[in-house]
Amino acid sequence: MGIEDWPEQTRPRERLVREGAQALSDPELLALLLRVGVRGKSAVELGRDILQHFGSLHGLFGATLDDCTEVHGLGMAKYAQLQAVMELARRAIAEQLQAGEAFGSPELVKRYLRMKLGGQRHESFVVLFLDVKNRLIADRELFRGTLTQTSVYPREVVIEALDYNAASVILAHNHPSGLPEPSDADLRLTGALVKALSLVDIRVLDHFVVAGPLVHSFAEHGQI
């Protein structure tokens, strides 16, 4: 039975309008993006199967085009739709950060970084450059790959911060392994960056480690 044959009060689109998006389950929200199912499955059933295949929303939104095209019911068009939704959400949060809420709302920063880094399969090092009012100036991925003090160069971070005339920065990187706890190398790198940036009077407000939906804050754990 297709969704159009369901009682009107149970259809995802009508429920969203009536009750709000928060009332819908993950498969129902995904069904609204998919719009149609496949032979023998409604869009909601297809959405449920897709989430089971990728393991989570983070897994789905972090999937590559090749990953999606291997799943019946997904393809380039649906992949493009999913990526567009994620990018719009990231930009909406970035607007709030640019309005000066970055340091005043650590949870907002965490949400932004989860969306940016949580689904990546490679390790990335990102710097958020902030002005004197803690508004976001720019967001740059500066390094990619296994992070060590020798692969992330403090001098390059300092140069970028000076180019943006940043008053402070927020550091972030991801652990594709799924474990958010910082390594000894992470701690040493953070110390080196704090020291290098302090020489040009730029503060490091925090360093976040993102592992899927989990985020570790150095500041909250007294590590910075």
Side-chain angles (χ1 to χ4, degrees), residues 162-181:
L162 291 173
D163 283 345
Y164 285 114
N165 196 28
S168 59
V169 299
I170 294 174
L171 312 173
H173 74 279
N174 64 314
H175 283 178
S177 65
L179 300 174
E181 289 74 20

Side-chain angles (χ1 to χ4, degrees), residues 30-95:
L30 187 55
L32 293 178
L33 282 176
L34 296 171
R35 296 181 58 192
V36 295
V38 294
R39 182 179 296 276
K41 292 182 181 179
S42 69
V44 173
E45 291 169 324
L46 176 60
R48 186 178 298 113
D49 288 350
I50 289 170
L51 289 174
Q52 288 177 348
H53 176 85
F54 288 105
S56 66
L57 287 171
H58 275 282
L60 171 60
F61 283 109
T64 65
L65 175 58
D66 288 341
D67 293 332
C68 287
T69 53
E70 291 176 358
V71 179
H72 185 48
L74 288 179
M76 186 172 67
K78 293 294 186 290
Y79 171 81
Q81 287 178 291
L82 292 170
Q83 293 302 307
V85 168
M86 284 293 291
E87 184 58 26
L88 285 171
R90 278 193 291 263
R91 293 185 186 188
I93 297 176
E95 287 179 354

Side-chain angles (χ1 to χ4, degrees), residues 128-132 134 166-170 201-205:
L128 307 184
F129 299 98
L130 310 176
D131 65 13
V132 293
N134 291 327
S168 59
V169 299
I170 294 174
D201 199 28
I202 297 174
R203 293 178 59 207
V204 177
L205 301 182

Side-chain angles (χ1 to χ4, degrees), residues 70-150:
E70 291 176 358
V71 179
H72 185 48
L74 288 179
M76 186 172 67
K78 293 294 186 290
Y79 171 81
Q81 287 178 291
L82 292 170
Q83 293 302 307
V85 168
M86 284 293 291
E87 184 58 26
L88 285 171
R90 278 193 291 263
R91 293 185 186 188
I93 297 176
E95 287 179 354
Q96 293 177 275
L97 297 177
Q98 289 165 347
E101 300 180 28
F103 193 55
S105 178
E107 288 304 316
L108 186 65
V109 179
K110 289 180 183 179
R111 193 186 320 157
Y112 177 75
L113 292 172
R114 282 190 199 101
M115 297 181 68
K116 184 176 183 66
L117 299 173
Q120 289 188 1
R121 298 182 181 182
H122 59 270
E123 197 162 344
S124 296
F125 182 83
V126 170
V127 181
L128 307 184
F129 299 98
L130 310 176
D131 65 13
V132 293
K133 295 184 178 179
N134 291 327
R135 293 176 300 196
L136 181 66
I137 301 171
D139 164 5
R140 290 285 312 278
E141 180 191 57
L142 296 186
F143 306 97
R144 180 177 293 194
T146 302
L147 301 184
T148 66
Q149 192 170 338
T150 56

